[in-house]
Amino acid sequence: MGVTLAFAFNAAAATLTLGVMQRADDERLAPQRVALAYPGHPAGPAAEAVDMAVKESQFELDAAKLRVVIEVRAARNADEAKTLLLQLAKAGAAGVVLDLPAAWIPAAAQSVTVPLLNAGESAETLRQEGCRAHLFHTLPGERMVADALAQAMLARRWTRVLLLHGGSAGDAARLEQVQAALKRYRLTPVAVKAFKLSADPRERDLANPLLLTGTAARGDYDAVWVVDGDGEFARTLPYRIALPRPVVGDAGLSAQAWAPRFDRYGAPQLERRFARGAHRPMTGFDWAAYVAAKALLQAALEQAAAPNAAQMLKALSRPDFTLDGFKGVRLGFRAWDRQLRQPMLLTDGLAVIGSAPVEGVMHPKNVLDTLGADAGESACKAGS
């Protein structure tokens, strides 16, 4: 399954082919689920943001006489993702934006050498043991999200934290990142409680917010941190807990790559341009796909007469390669795990109330490296 989009046709122009790999029949984008607007969940296909990035770069592309062709492919499983990615590479794609499940990416990435920009998966495994030198990440990793929230809580002196988490494997992995962030910033987890959504009346109490946050919580706490990748439990948690305390994580205060009501650094203009084209607000997933495409285009324009995968990979890997993400600072990829350094936006879904790194957090080289695994603690050495 595929779609081809061509831009700026000129018989004398060089051609840059970029791929977009999406999920076929993406359950995350089911209309009834999108309508609920869970924090940190996608609301539309990555190709819409990639298309916008190319259109916004049209002036530079025309000046460089570079014609861009976007090949969109949708995979139904891991094997098909690998096959389609190989086909894109053999057809001359010089870079690919990925929006695939974490379990599909390692085998697919191992089969090609073109730059791959992950814009749809936050799993830490892709940035740690499963990293690759040509696999870059524009969507923040789970550890970045957890560190951003932990910093915000430390700044507000919410030091005692009650953790609630779901029972899925994904929630277990994300809980580990939250606990690591709490340890880094010396916040105290007063209790860790699992919840379970069930249609069985005998298990109704396992998702009762009052019971989970009351006497079973073993004392007082300053905030409740909920880890719920599905989102259904988390969305009903604020204002239903036993004590009058804030909720953070997958409801209440969250840390996002993007928020529609961010009002600085040209963000409102970017938001309006996206809404005109996609007919919906921009999410963190859209922003990650947009920035991924901008990075590939910027790398290609360094050698516009004949851009190729090897040249673009070299450009993306340079320490001085930076781009504008409408967040107030230049963004670039970390050498050790290929994660895009970026500020995180702190939002309650209605307004952006701050950003991370928070004021006062220090780092010997780059304060943005306080978000996510730093070089010395990373299991990935992709750039070495």
Side-chain angles (χ1 to χ4, degrees):
M1 185 185 300
V3 177
T4 302
L5 302 173
F7 300 83
F9 177 75
N10 184 324
T15 298
L16 171 68
T17 300
L18 299 178
V20 179
M21 284 285 299
Q22 303 179 157
R23 316 172 197 208
D25 304 319
D26 193 342
E27 295 179 355
R28 304 172 306 164
L29 303 184
Q32 64 272 24
R33 186 171 182 82
V34 170
L36 293 171
Y38 294 130
H41 287 236
E48 293 179 339
V50 172
D51 178 48
M52 173 179 160
V54 176
K55 289 178 178 177
E56 288 196 351
S57 302
Q58 203 60 64
F59 179 81
E60 293 87 349
L61 295 169
D62 287 344
K65 298 182 179 179
L66 183 60
R67 174 180 180 246
V68 176
V69 175
I70 303 296
E71 298 281 356
V72 183
R73 299 289 183 268
R76 290 183 289 266
N77 52 55
D79 290 339
E80 191 170 74
K82 181 178 179 179
T83 298
L84 292 173
L85 192 56
L86 275 168
Q87 290 175 359
L88 283 171
K90 290 179 180 178
V96 182
V97 178
L98 301 180
D99 182 10
L100 299 174
W104 299 7
I105 293 177
Q110 196 169 5
S111 67
V112 298
T113 58
V114 302
L116 305 176
L117 278 81
N118 165 36
E121 183 53 70
S122 59
E124 281 298 307
T125 54
L126 298 174
R127 296 155 175 83
Q128 298 290 329
E129 296 83 0
C131 68
R132 297 286 186 275
H134 63 297
L135 176 60
F136 298 80
H137 310 276
T138 53
L139 190 71
E142 288 296 344
R143 181 61 190 274
M144 292 180 67
V145 173
D147 281 337
L149 280 173
Q151 289 185 17
M153 295 171 71
L154 181 64
R156 290 161 174 78
R157 298 183 181 178
W158 300 344
T159 58
R160 297 168 299 171
V161 186
L162 170 61
L163 288 173
L164 303 182
H165 65 93
S168 70
D171 283 345
R174 296 174 65 228
L175 177 63
E176 289 183 7
Q177 302 307 319
V178 171
Q179 292 171 318
L182 295 180
K183 182 177 180 180
R184 171 184 276 182
Y185 292 102
R186 299 181 180 179
L187 304 178
T188 303
V190 299
V192 181
K193 304 291 294 182
F195 64 82
K196 180 181 180 181
L197 291 176
S198 174
D200 188 338
R202 294 169 297 180
E203 297 182 322
R204 187 175 297 144
D205 287 347
L206 299 180
N208 186 317
L210 288 175
L211 292 178
L212 289 166
T213 62
T215 56
R218 301 179 193 167
D220 199 359
Y221 44 89
D222 299 316
V224 176
W225 192 322
V226 57
V227 179
D228 180 17
D230 177 73
E232 182 61 23
F233 172 80
R235 75 185 182 95
T236 64
L237 188 61
Y239 311 109
R240 296 182 64 203
I241 61 178
L243 299 177
R245 300 290 186 268
V247 174
V248 306
D250 289 321
L253 181 66
S254 64
Q256 305 290 341
W258 190 257
R261 294 171 182 83
F262 188 39
D263 59 4
R264 302 182 66 186
Y265 311 122
Q269 291 78 10
L270 177 66
E271 179 66 33
R272 286 196 291 270
R273 292 196 299 271
F274 182 82
R276 279 198 300 268
H279 308 291
R280 59 182 176 82
M282 177 178 264
T283 68
F285 287 85
D286 298 316
W287 180 88
Y290 168 81
V291 169
K294 293 284 281 188
L296 288 170
L297 293 170
Q298 184 172 310
L301 284 167
E302 292 188 6
Q303 192 172 308
N308 60 77
Q311 168 260 319
M312 290 169 59
L313 177 59
K314 185 177 180 180
L316 292 167
S317 303
R318 286 201 326 266
D320 63 344
F321 181 88
T322 62
L323 62 157
D324 179 21
F326 297 89
K327 290 188 179 184
V329 296
R330 300 292 293 181
L331 312 178
F333 295 99
R334 291 172 178 151
W336 56 92
D337 61 1
R338 302 308 199 212
Q339 172 66 56
L340 185 70
R341 290 185 176 98
Q342 58 185 284
M344 299 292 296
L345 305 182
L346 304 172
T347 176
D348 63 353
L350 297 176
V352 174
I353 63 171
S355 64
V358 301
E359 186 176 354
V361 174
M362 305 296 289
H363 187 275
K365 293 183 179 179
N366 189 325
V367 70
L368 291 176
D369 288 339
T370 63
L371 303 177
D374 207 349
E377 59 185 349
S378 175
C380 175
K381 304 297 177 185
S384 58

